[in-house]
Amino acid sequence: RLLQANPAMARIFGYGSPEEMIKAINDMAAQSYVNPGEREIFTRTIEEQGRVENFRIEVYRKNGSRIWISINARTVRDEAGRTLYYEGTHEDVTEQKLMEDMIKENERRYRHLVENSNDIIYTTDTRGILTYVNPAAEKLTGYPISQLFGRHYGFIIREDHRESLNRFYEKQYRERNQVSYHEFPIVTRDGRETWLGQQVQLIFDQERITGFQATARDITDRMKAEEEQREREKLAALIQTAGMISHEMNQPLQAILGQADLMGMSLPEGDAKKERIRIIKGQIERMRAITKKLMSISRYETKPYAGKSTIVD
């Protein structure tokens, strides 16, 4: 039962005056508490401890809407130690509670995204010691989280890339670059090589850098595809060059062959030089056959197959 209330309390609960509120409320737990059972918790706590601080409950206002209040109260007792009444303050903390709930929900969603992400997400201190890794790190590297946490991130980097990667992030730290990106290979627990593309952000406490936060993605398939593309381009360039060389060689070979024919025609029968000319012509024909093969490599050729289908070589 409400004994006294000031205008601010009446206003919080939506009443026009303290008198109106005192007259309207005969049972705080039943009429005001959204969860009446919390009144029992309040009473038990204040009786045992003699006071409560920041006791938050959801209550009804006069019009039926809900708000959150924070109660600070103490027990007033008579000389025999019997409780006479409770006195204290109510503060409307609805906006603060909604903000806290929103922050908690955002944290829950963020935690869910991080924990279920396919990308590695981790943090380190300024020395590079891992202070957090998500489950994706365990899945991708093969190392349990317990074996990653507390170690320098560099131990999984392929040895020939460790020094350059350290210099890269030392530069980011020194120049205070907010975000950087780098690609490098790691060696998983079972010895496989995996390429990661990693974006790193600096973590600040006001103006002081306290660590790094990174998101790393497996780019092994992309790196393999790019390497295969480079090999194809190199092969295509070699084939094109071979075709050009063969084309350029054909003309002088043809001229040499023609001159050998003329020389042979000018010699009398039985001349020993005719055999030498025959050998020269034979070798030239071998060279022409080689250049013809090289030129055929740079062309697409089709071959008949079953029915009207053809095979593209």
Side-chain angles (χ1 to χ4, degrees):
R1 190 165 60 86
L2 193 60
L3 302 178
Q4 281 186 335
N6 70 345
M9 183 173 179
R11 197 161 51 247
I12 288 174
F13 280 81
Y15 292 92
S17 67
E19 292 76 21
E20 180 188 1
M21 184 177 181
I22 293 170
K23 184 177 180 180
I25 297 178
N26 298 314
D27 187 335
M28 285 290 293
Q31 293 176 259
S32 297
Y33 282 48
V34 173
N35 181 7
E38 291 182 337
R39 183 66 183 185
E40 296 179 11
I41 299 173
F42 170 83
T43 304
R44 185 169 62 251
T45 303
I46 200 169
E47 286 294 332
E48 290 175 355
Q49 301 179 9
R51 63 190 307 110
V52 293
E53 295 181 356
N54 194 29
F55 185 84
R56 290 189 177 188
I57 57 169
E58 192 177 15
V59 296
Y60 292 110
R61 302 182 79 233
K62 179 183 177 182
N63 61 7
S65 62
R66 298 181 181 186
I67 60 171
W68 281 87
I69 62 171
S70 174
I71 303 175
N72 292 307
R74 71 184 184 92
T75 304
V76 178
R77 305 180 190 274
D78 61 17
E79 294 179 354
R82 292 187 296 268
T83 300
L84 299 176
Y85 54 87
Y86 307 133
E87 67 175 8
T89 61
H90 288 185
E91 180 185 0
D92 185 351
V93 294
T94 305
E95 189 172 333
Q96 180 181 344
K97 180 70 166 56
L98 291 174
M99 184 64 68
E100 290 173 356
D101 289 347
M102 184 179 69
I103 291 172
K104 288 180 181 178
E105 178 61 18
N106 288 341
E107 288 176 346
R108 186 193 67 79
R109 291 179 181 179
Y110 178 75
R111 190 162 50 249
H112 176 79
L113 288 173
V114 169
E115 296 295 318
N116 293 279
S117 173
N118 291 324
D119 294 338
I120 295 175
I121 299 174
Y122 69 88
T123 60
T124 74
D125 61 17
T126 53
R127 299 170 299 162
I129 303 301
L130 291 163
T131 54
Y132 170 79
V133 288
N134 71 338
E138 181 175 350
K139 182 179 179 181
L140 193 58
T141 67
Y143 288 96
I145 291 177
S146 60
Q147 293 184 17
L148 293 169
F149 185 81
R151 298 183 68 177
H152 192 279
Y153 75 93
F155 86 96
I156 63 171
I157 310 300
R158 201 175 74 190
E159 191 171 355
D160 58 328
H161 277 254
R162 291 176 187 173
E163 187 59 33
S164 63
L165 193 63
N166 284 336
R167 288 197 302 270
F168 184 86
Y169 291 118
E170 284 171 3
K171 183 174 183 289
Q172 181 182 6
Y173 179 88
R174 186 173 60 253
E175 298 180 359
R176 301 174 73 87
N177 298 324
Q178 288 276 10
V179 181
S180 67
Y181 180 81
H182 199 61
E183 296 176 351
F184 54 89
I186 66 170
V187 179
T188 63
R189 191 183 187 188
D190 59 6
R192 289 181 297 106
E193 182 179 293
T194 300
W195 278 82
L196 298 181
Q198 178 169 281
Q199 180 172 286
V200 176
Q201 294 176 303
L202 296 177
I203 301 174
F204 287 90
D205 181 4
Q206 296 181 353
E207 294 298 318
R208 185 171 64 91
I209 299 173
T210 58
F212 299 88
Q213 176 176 297
T215 303
R217 176 168 295 180
D218 185 350
I219 58 169
T220 306
D221 290 342
R222 195 204 79 195
M223 297 294 288
K224 286 182 179 178
E226 290 177 354
E227 180 62 26
E228 289 172 0
Q229 179 63 24
R230 284 192 291 270
E231 290 298 321
R232 284 196 295 269
E233 290 174 353
K234 283 173 22 180
L235 181 59
L238 286 172
I239 291 173
Q240 186 177 7
T241 302
M244 292 171 59
I245 292 172
S246 299
H247 178 74
E248 294 298 324
M249 286 180 63
N250 268 337
Q251 291 182 351
L253 287 174
Q254 187 64 36
I256 295 170
L257 186 61
Q259 292 297 320
D261 283 336
L262 290 173
M263 289 173 64
M265 291 169 61
S266 64
L267 294 173
E269 290 296 330
D271 193 315
K273 296 186 182 70
K274 276 186 174 288
E275 178 60 22
R276 294 182 179 178
I277 290 172
R278 186 188 66 79
I279 293 172
I280 291 172
K281 290 173 64 177
Q283 296 304 312
I284 289 172
E285 288 296 342
R286 286 183 64 193
M287 293 176 70
R288 289 182 64 187
I290 292 171
T291 58
K292 185 177 180 181
K293 285 183 179 180
L294 286 173
M295 291 182 70
S296 71
I297 291 174
S298 60
R299 295 195 304 267
Y300 289 106
E301 295 183 359
T302 60
K303 300 175 183 178
Y305 191 57
K308 296 181 179 180
S309 302
T310 57
I311 299 173
V312 178
D313 188 346

